[in-house]
Amino acid sequence: MSISRRQFLLSSAVGLGALGLPGNTHASSNVLDSKKFEPTWESLGGGYQTPEWYRDAKFGIWAHWSAQCQPEQGDWYARNMYMQGHGQYNYHVKNYGHPSKFGFMEINNLWKAEKWEPEKLMSLYKDAGAKYFVALANHHDNFDNYNSKYHQWNSVNVGPKKDLVGIWSKAARKHGLRFGVSNHSSHAWHWFQTAYGYDGEGEMKGVRYDAATLTKADGKGKWWDGLDPQELYTGPNIKMPDGISGVKEVRDWMVKNTGTWHEDIPPMNPEFAKNWFLRCKDLVDNYQPDLLYFDDTSLPFEQIGLDLAAYYYNASMKWHKGKLEAVVNAKGIKEERRAALVEDIERGQSDKLRPHPWQTDTCIGSWHYKREIFEKNQYKTVKQVVQTLVDIVSKNGNLLLSIPVRGNGTIDEREAEFLIGMAEWTKINGEAIYGTRPWKIFGEGPTEVKTGMFSEKDAKPLTSKDIRFTTKGETLYAFILGVPESETITVRSLGSAGKVERVKLLGIDDALNFTQDNEGLTVTVPQHLPGKYVYALKINGHGITS
């Protein structure tokens, strides 16, 4: 069941027009002097061009950091801790108590970020080669990591008692990085319904979890005095009926009824969507991000997301004196709508060169910090990430890479080593990444790259037989995606592509010996290679990049 935008406006005590937006919901006159974008796919797609800063940047780092990192048990802790039999439920009961007595709101309070040093982290990110930084503004656990005007469950009132987004923003911009925010909260209304459930067996069978019983009045004299738990947990939107027995049966009900990735305005709680809009607009207005990432197919709540995107684009033009510098990321975009924003492919890539700029977002481990990955040394390697970065850039994309942060605000030793390794590689090869554009083809070689979201788990290792191209002006760069297996390497795509006059290997001053014929460009590889993993040939001549 879905609810129309008109029904949404009528059902709200305050419509969007009364929220500082005119009736058609494009940019508000008290914020903007002029309007360009209307809240339609046609207007956004017809007027949007991906800003040059983003196309030049290629590589960003993301701190996917919230209270769900505090237990160090990985992704979706706030949902899974309420699912009896799940490993995170077992961990929670053992370490904190039963979720009827110690719910996720208590984890928010435990999260203090007491060892967080944003300036130090930002310096590491910049050295690693990041040109933009993205901070998690909120996740599906419905907690705002900023000084939120429309949501009391935020990091200024609870937990760290700091404006995390504001502090991240200042640190990023101080270090010359563009700043973005990610907003995942549109799904909280169904994702968090596990907090209203109960155990299906055992001594606590049938006892509802904390979200089902707590009210604002219950907080009197406690740390959360004045806060309403129902605002955090979003209310019993999809209530599990009494009397379900068995761990599997309860879990199956929850997965079936609350695990669907709903995109519509919640029909039983349209106020949630209105509040989402206000919170996101507040985020845009106060922090003026260069990038706004939505963890949604298309845009949140469809038309409401279009309202917000149009508002954001128009606001960006106001901030930058008529120049649009904003990027919106969303997922699963229909091809005819891809001109309106920058499509994001989560934990996956593209198998072809795309006409519109796009982005892969992935993580070296679990989105939320997981201690076990550190202890078992299971992070992605620098080699894996560098190969991924090069493949993505050759296909007109960017890579947004999350480095998991502990609840206390630090990264671990292996993550620090990873960033140092990235810094070593980008120092040598960054010339062939930053500010480049795709060639007429993305590359050559035998290894097939799978396409689509969550496809990275099936990725085949790239080798020195795989080559990827980028261009900058009259220069063509050819990346060799592994240590060459012989003294020469042949780039077959350059058999008839212009006349090569000079070939260098980034990291070495001297030119390399080469021959060019119908079979391709054959380059003699130096005995001692600069750096590791992936190597970039710098190729100049006549008619090569045209």
Side-chain angles (χ1 to χ4, degrees), residues 96-117:
Y96 302 116
H98 192 263
S100 63
K101 301 176 181 177
F102 196 103
F104 189 73
M105 58 181 277
E106 300 289 348
I107 301 295
N108 282 319
N109 184 47
L110 292 180
W111 181 38
K112 301 301 184 186
E114 67 275 12
K115 295 184 179 180
W116 182 42
E117 298 181 273

Side-chain angles (χ1 to χ4, degrees), residues 377-425:
N377 194 18
Q378 294 175 335
Y379 289 127
K380 286 185 175 74
T381 65
V382 175
K383 179 181 178 180
Q384 289 173 310
V385 171
V386 163
Q387 287 179 330
T388 300
L389 171 65
V390 170
D391 180 72
I392 289 167
V393 170
S394 75
K395 297 170 181 173
N396 204 25
N398 283 27
L399 173 62
L400 177 60
L401 182 70
S402 179
I403 307 296
V405 181
R406 293 167 168 147
N408 65 13
T410 65
I411 61 174
D412 63 47
E413 302 89 80
R414 297 191 196 279
E415 293 175 304
E417 290 171 3
F418 173 90
L419 290 171
I420 291 170
M422 285 295 298
E424 292 171 349
W425 188 87

Side-chain angles (χ1 to χ4, degrees), residues 439-500:
W439 196 37
K440 57 185 178 181
I441 60 173
F442 69 81
E444 63 184 56
T447 307
E448 180 181 343
V449 175
K450 297 202 71 172
T451 191
M453 295 229 296
F454 306 109
S455 60
E456 68 178 19
K457 63 181 182 299
D458 300 318
K460 298 177 182 178
L462 295 162
T463 72
S464 61
K465 296 180 181 179
D466 298 300
I467 294 172
R468 297 291 184 266
F469 301 112
T470 62
T471 66
K472 186 183 293 180
E474 299 300 316
T475 298
L476 176 69
Y477 298 97
F479 286 95
I480 307 164
L481 299 184
V483 178
E485 298 175 0
S486 64
E487 295 179 353
T488 63
I489 190 161
T490 298
V491 183
R492 302 198 180 280
S493 301
L494 286 170
S496 58
K499 181 181 180 182
V500 176

Side-chain angles (χ1 to χ4, degrees), residues 503-540:
V503 180
K504 293 182 65 177
L505 188 67
L506 294 187
I508 295 178
D509 292 334
D510 297 333
L512 304 182
N513 294 325
F514 68 90
T515 60
Q516 186 183 21
D517 55 30
N518 291 336
E519 296 299 315
L521 174 71
T522 300
V523 180
T524 301
V525 179
Q527 185 175 1
H528 300 290
L529 295 169
K532 301 176 182 178
Y533 317 124
V534 173
Y535 308 90
L537 297 172
K538 182 177 182 179
I539 303 166
N540 293 100

Side-chain angles (χ1 to χ4, degrees), residues 76 263 405:
W76 284 25
E263 301 285 354
V405 181

Side-chain angles (χ1 to χ4, degrees), residues 35-70:
K35 308 178 185 71
K36 177 180 181 182
F37 291 97
E38 300 288 332
T40 66
W41 286 109
E42 292 76 18
S43 177
L44 298 185
Y48 183 72
Q49 283 191 333
T50 308
E52 291 297 295
W53 76 258
Y54 181 81
R55 299 199 68 194
D56 289 343
K58 307 301 183 187
F59 179 46
I61 284 180
W62 187 8
H64 194 281
W65 184 41
S66 76
Q68 291 183 82
C69 299
Q70 182 67 26

